[in-house]
């Protein structure tokens, strides 16, 4: 399996609930290394740029409002099969459909406030990591 990078965001609801540590523990216990991390409070416009791919979706405005409602922790993760592994650890977008033991099953309250973001492909991971991190702030172990 290839070593990949992916972007994780601990969303405002999970930061507010004090579960950053629990989420990071799951990554590290599953051989994903944090090679970059920063806490930021996005403006609605910045959240809109990050989620531009969803601009035509009916939930876009609510999504941007939610993602700018408080600070988030953005992390670049690195490890074997990182994109898919992170998505497995996250669980389904709608927490009602998320498998037991996933981050969203344990910490998400709704499809809006669903605790974490994770890149959905290696190509998007590179774009999303670049949104938050210049190369100088990434510390690869690979
Ligand atoms: P993902 O976060 O699991 O990749 P996406 O389809 O990329 O899911 O959607 C981005 C985010 O937009 C979701 O995490 C969720 O917070 C929100 N979202 C997606 N679908 C809906 C919906 O039908 N209603 C409200 N919010 C949604
Ligand atoms: Mg997505």
């Amino acid at each position: 399996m290839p070593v990949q990078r992916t972007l994780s965001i601990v969303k405002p609801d999970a930061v507010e609930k004090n579960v950053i540590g629990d989420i990071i523990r799951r990554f590290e216990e599953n051989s994903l290394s944090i090679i970059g991390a920063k806490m930021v409070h996005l403006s609605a416009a910045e959240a809109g740029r990050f989620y531009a791919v969803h601009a035509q979706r009916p939930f876009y405005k609510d999504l941007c409002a939610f993602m700018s409602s408080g600070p988030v922790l953005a992390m670049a993760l690195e490890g074997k099969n990182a994109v898919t592994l992170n998505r497995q650890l996250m669980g389904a977008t709608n927490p009602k459909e998320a498998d037991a033991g996933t981050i969203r099953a344990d910490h998400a309250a709704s499809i809006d406030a669903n605790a974490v973001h994770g890149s959905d492909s290696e190509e998007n991971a590179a774009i999303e990591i670049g949104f938050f991190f210049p190369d100088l702030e990434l510390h690869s172990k690979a």
Side-chain angles (χ1 to χ4, degrees):
M1 274 182 295
V3 173
Q4 296 178 331
R5 293 178 180 182
T6 193
L7 184 81
S8 169
I9 303 177
V10 180
K11 293 187 178 184
D13 57 320
V15 172
E16 178 61 29
K17 281 183 188 165
N18 264 358
V19 294
I20 289 174
D22 178 73
I23 292 169
I24 288 178
R25 175 187 61 76
R26 294 167 191 241
F27 295 149
E28 293 189 333
E29 284 183 357
N30 286 277
S31 303
L32 289 172
S33 295
I34 294 156
I35 62 162
K38 65 175 62 167
M39 201 167 204
V40 293
H41 190 154
L42 299 169
S43 67
E46 288 162 345
R49 276 211 311 283
F50 181 78
Y51 277 116
V53 63
H54 292 310
Q56 303 310 319
R57 307 282 284 279
F59 55 81
Y60 178 67
K61 203 161 163 253
D62 287 347
L63 175 62
C64 296
F66 173 66
M67 288 301 286
S68 58
S69 67
V72 301
L73 181 70
M75 289 179 281
L77 307 180
E78 184 182 77
K80 284 183 187 158
N81 213 17
V83 173
T84 302
L85 177 55
N86 179 42
R87 297 289 310 193
Q88 286 169 352
L89 296 172
M90 288 164 61
T93 307
N94 184 344
K96 288 183 188 149
E97 294 163 9
D99 288 343
T102 59
I103 294 168
R104 282 168 164 166
D106 290 345
H107 296 308
S110 68
I111 196 168
D112 301 278
N114 64 359
V116 279
H117 167 84
S119 309
D120 62 7
S121 67
E122 216 176 351
E123 187 188 358
N124 284 337
I127 296 167
E128 292 179 358
I129 289 171
F131 183 90
F132 286 100
F133 298 101
D135 281 350
L136 269 174
E137 295 180 11
L138 296 171
H139 310 282
S140 177
K141 297 181 182 177

